[in-house]
Amino acid sequence: MHPRDTLQAPSPIRERRSLFRWQPDQQWEAYLFLLPSFLGLLVFVVLAVVLSLGISFQDWGLAGPKGWVGLANYRAVWRDPVFWQTFRNTAFYIVTIVPAQLALGLAMAVALNQAGRGTVVYRLIYFMPVVTTIVAGAIVFRLLFSTNGPVNSLIADVAALFGATVKLPNWLGSSTYSKWAVVMLTLWKNTGFTMVVYLAALQAVPQELYDAASSDGANAWQRFRHVTVPMISATTFFLFVLQTIGAFQLFTEPFVLTNGGPANSSMSVVQYIYQNAFRFTRMDKASAIAWFLFLFIFAFTLVQNRLQRRWVYYETE
Amino acid sequence: MLETPRQRSRLGMSRPAQVALHAALIAGSAIMVAPFVVMLVVSLVPTEAFMARRFQLAEMSLDNYLQVFKAVPFGRYYLNSILVAVSVTTGQVLISSLAAFAFARLRFKGRETLFLLYLATLMIPFPVTLIPNFLIINRLGWYNTYPALVVPGLFSAFSTFLLRQYYRTIPAELDEAARMDGASSLRIWWQIIVPLSGPVLATLAIFVFQNTWNEFLWPLVVTTSEEMRTIPVGLSYFVGQYSTAWGLLMAGSVIAVLPILAIYVVAQKWFVQGIALSGLGGR
């Protein structure tokens, strides 16, 4: 018999019983199976975390470690206005990108789920930016948002259509607009991701629920609001957390598109870590910033886990 | 996993509503595709003509591409990207699969504790380990070498977790029957578990490949010489050199994205499943 045939009839009882059978010979084998993975994670994650903490409590510049300094690096970061500026920029990215990405992704997924014919083609197109090297995307956006580039000519055209003239922004050279260019690039790049995850969630909502709602006289909006939204709340939560953590760590988009400028107006926290570590060779300060970032992400995750009970619906509960 | 999209419209929409829906979807597609179109057009026609929106098809030429290939060793970047992405993908899937097999199928002391430790490492954001890993790579003498680009990518708690979740769904009878017949754990892993996990392994492989191929920060940090750059890193230095030579920049971008887009169009299903897989891991 082919092993696949037995897949049809898994026996949970049998599996549970076998779990408790003691087989000492398996011990050493198990450790051997784990060894490569374990050693790698031990060095590149566990050791790295310990080192990172160590560096953050030392004077560690170009010449390497020069002694312990207690919390001095953390204090320096806390008093550094540029750090707080990059933190505010990152917060701006989070509050603009994450809700827009979720809303657009959901709208696209709902539309796609209704589309019937052509769904595969639309999905192919919407997902294209996700697989694209972000550096290439950022290069095109540099052209799109240049002073006399396509975005500005489009704005001028639309304004002219209404007989108005607008002062066209110098997107990448203005400390007001540079962040918005980064937001647009990130949305273009990532919305296809949220769309695909939402599409899978939508397809898992049982049709009976919609039928029942319809027979109770619910209209399309009511069905969306009271069937779709609660049924996919677990996905919304997952995407919200994942995308927020991702936005906390935004790097390549501002790095290539604006290089964090002008005057640090679009620089993200991770970019500032990079700058401190690899431009100024201040490993100590860069590590302290990284730990601040960790604390922010950790606090966010904790709060979210508390709050999710209020609005996330799990079918298994 | 994703099903094929439902054929019939759920709400039984009227014709005008359907037309409006498709109009919106096509408008959305236009926005998503526009940057690619701009990339391609600007790489082919003179930039001034494009900016003035007066370009003609007759003006098209491949000059930018020829110049890019003369100015930048894109061939080398390609080679590096392929080498790194293939090694990381193969290595990470194999190493994670072995560890996942131990977690899912073997009994040993400390299994649950160790597994929790694996899960805990998922909470460490990349920026925290960036600097110490850079120092570790330097200490090992790997700065600006292939091991620096490959080795840290071989180990993934996430992939291990993902495969372990799947391996647990494979019936234990298969292992036990094989053990009765005297098969070793290694044989059970290779001849039973791996063959039964084909689609999951393929999906994970595509997922890892795509992430490694597009990775930017790590290869930027651990390489310095031109011949060690991967495509994204090479492209970013290219921007530094030719900041507004749009024709050249776009030709370079087209060269950079074409292969991954081609693979994507052919293997769309696997890419999309990879996303569904990453969603699964977050639950």
Side-chain angles (χ1 to χ4, degrees):
Chain A
M1 195 172 59
H2 192 272
R4 241 181 225 109
D5 298 341
T6 53
L7 260 180
Q8 314 301 328
S11 155
I13 302 157
R14 182 106 186 255
E15 191 180 9
R16 206 172 305 137
R17 178 157 38 97
S18 63
L19 258 178
F20 289 102
R21 199 170 357 153
W22 185 245
Q23 281 165 316
D25 54 311
Q26 279 190 8
Q27 288 260 31
W28 292 109
E29 269 182 0
Y31 294 138
L32 283 179
F33 273 89
L34 275 168
L35 195 65
S37 158
F38 179 75
L39 280 182
L41 291 173
L42 195 67
V43 172
F44 293 111
V45 182
V46 179
L47 175 65
V49 164
V50 175
L51 278 177
S52 176
L53 271 175
I55 298 164
S56 75
F57 290 113
Q58 294 179 62
D59 176 348
W60 194 309
L62 197 57
K66 287 210 298 210
W68 300 90
V69 293
L71 286 169
N73 293 315
Y74 289 93
R75 259 186 243 119
V77 172
W78 189 261
R79 287 199 208 106
D80 177 4
V82 180
F83 166 69
W84 289 108
Q85 189 182 7
T86 61
F87 176 73
R88 280 194 304 275
N89 292 341
T90 304
F92 176 88
Y93 291 139
I94 293 170
V95 300
T96 49
I97 292 168
V98 176
Q101 211 165 284
L102 261 62
L104 287 171
L106 178 59
M108 277 153 59
V110 168
L112 224 59
N113 203 32
Q114 311 283 338
R117 202 179 308 167
T119 307
V120 176
V121 179
Y122 290 127
R123 195 178 67 186
L124 180 88
I125 290 170
Y126 288 161
F127 200 67
M128 259 163 65
V130 181
V131 299
T132 304
T133 310
I134 183 66
V135 178
I139 292 174
V140 186
F141 271 64
R142 279 168 74 108
L143 171 67
L144 292 178
F145 284 92
S146 61
T147 326
N148 55 348
V151 169
N152 270 353
S153 14
L154 202 68
I155 294 174
D157 284 356
V158 173
L161 210 63
F162 293 102
T165 46
V166 285
K167 195 176 168 295
L168 295 169
N170 174 9
W171 294 92
L172 304 177
S174 135
S175 45
T176 324
Y177 293 108
S178 58
K179 279 193 276 294
W180 284 105
V182 173
V183 169
M184 312 271 197
L185 171 63
T186 313
L187 285 179
W188 172 75
K189 161 85 177 145
N190 286 346
T191 306
F193 171 83
T194 47
M195 181 209 69
V196 163
V197 177
Y198 265 134
L199 194 58
L202 287 175
Q203 287 168 352
V205 180
Q207 179 65 28
E208 300 86 69
L209 293 179
Y210 291 104
D211 297 341
S214 298
S215 63
D216 287 346
N219 63 29
W221 168 253
Q222 287 168 327
R223 277 182 306 233
F224 174 73
R225 176 67 192 80
H226 298 290
V227 177
T228 310
V229 171
M231 287 305 287
I232 61 171
S233 57
T235 303
T236 303
F237 173 69
F238 160 70
L239 282 174
F240 178 68
V241 172
L242 192 77
Q243 298 299 315
T244 306
I245 293 175
F248 264 117
Q249 302 177 51
L250 205 64
F251 172 78
T252 312
E253 289 85 346
F255 182 83
V256 183
L257 188 59
T258 62
N259 200 13
N264 304 332
S265 61
S266 60
M267 189 179 290
S268 67
V269 172
V270 177
Q271 232 183 319
Y272 196 46
I273 294 174
Y274 170 84
Q275 204 180 56
N276 274 290
F278 302 105
R279 288 274 173 278
F280 312 146
T281 333
R282 291 308 321 177
M283 299 299 176
D284 43 11
K285 195 177 162 196
S287 299
I289 302 172
W291 282 104
F292 271 115
L293 183 70
F294 170 79
L295 284 179
F296 292 140
I297 296 177
F298 192 69
F300 162 79
T301 315
L302 278 187
V303 170
Q304 273 316 308
N305 266 319
R306 279 287 160 83
L307 289 180
Q308 66 153 324
R309 286 179 219 144
R310 297 202 194 147
W311 63 277
V312 181
Y313 168 76
Y314 291 107
E315 226 173 329
T316 46
E317 275 168 15
Chain B
M1 292 296 108
L2 288 179
E3 319 159 22
T4 49
R6 274 163 213 253
Q7 287 308 299
R8 93 200 131 87
S9 159
R10 266 189 168 160
L11 300 175
M13 278 191 299
S14 62
R15 192 130 275 263
Q18 270 182 20
V19 172
L21 179 75
H22 280 274
L25 282 169
I26 289 168
S29 309
I31 292 173
M32 293 314 235
V33 169
F36 293 108
V37 175
V38 169
M39 202 188 278
L40 190 65
V41 171
V42 176
S43 75
L44 294 172
V45 304
T47 307
E48 304 75 44
F50 171 82
M51 290 297 209
R53 287 180 281 183
R54 276 201 312 268
F55 59 91
Q56 287 153 357
L57 290 181
E59 293 175 299
M60 287 204 316
S61 81
L62 292 174
D63 280 357
N64 285 325
Y65 290 89
L66 297 177
Q67 272 201 53
V68 165
F69 273 115
K70 246 182 260 160
V72 186
F74 257 106
R76 180 67 194 232
Y77 298 165
Y78 261 109
L79 198 72
N80 292 342
S81 274
I82 292 170
L83 196 80
V84 170
V86 169
S87 324
V88 169
T89 307
T90 321
Q92 192 190 111
V93 171
L94 268 179
I95 290 172
S96 306
S97 175
L98 283 169
F101 176 76
F103 278 127
R105 311 300 271 200
L106 301 176
R107 286 158 287 275
F108 57 91
K109 250 186 229 153
R111 181 169 77 171
E112 305 312 313
T113 317
L114 203 57
F115 188 64
L116 277 179
L117 182 74
Y118 267 63
L119 289 185
T121 66
L122 289 176
M123 290 189 352
I124 305 299
F126 179 69
V128 167
T129 54
L130 174 69
I131 293 159
N133 279 344
F134 169 77
L135 296 173
I136 291 171
I137 291 298
N138 266 330
R139 178 61 66 88
L140 291 169
W142 287 352
Y143 182 66
N144 202 37
T145 65
Y146 286 116
L149 293 167
V150 172
V151 176
L154 294 178
F155 316 102
S156 163
F158 176 73
S159 296
T160 308
F161 169 70
L162 215 69
L163 290 176
R164 178 245 189 199
Q165 298 302 87
Y166 186 79
Y167 289 169
R168 278 161 67 98
T169 66
I170 299 172
E173 283 89 341
L174 297 178
D175 296 23
E176 284 166 12
R179 268 188 213 289
M180 304 278 194
D181 295 343
S184 65
S185 290
L186 196 66
R187 247 187 100 181
I188 293 172
W189 169 71
W190 183 245
Q191 294 196 332
I192 296 175
I193 303 294
V194 168
L196 281 175
S197 316
V200 173
L201 292 172
T203 306
L204 178 65
I206 289 268
F207 184 70
V208 176
F209 183 88
Q210 182 204 328
N211 285 342
T212 313
W213 183 271
N214 289 337
E215 192 166 37
F216 180 64
L217 182 50
W218 179 250
L220 177 73
V221 162
V222 294
T223 61
T224 178
S225 65
E226 195 168 45
E227 64 267 24
M228 287 312 296
R229 287 175 196 160
T230 58
I231 290 173
V233 176
L235 207 54
S236 83
Y237 277 99
F238 190 50
V239 181
Q241 266 177 310
Y242 298 88
S243 64
T244 53
W246 296 117
L248 293 178
L249 288 175
M250 295 304 138
S253 301
V254 171
I255 297 168
V257 301
L258 216 53
I260 192 87
L261 277 184
I263 299 176
Y264 162 62
V265 170
V266 174
Q268 193 205 164
K269 192 180 128 207
W270 299 103
F271 277 81
V272 171
Q273 276 183 354
I275 297 304
L277 198 72
S278 77
L280 202 109
R283 292 273 161 85

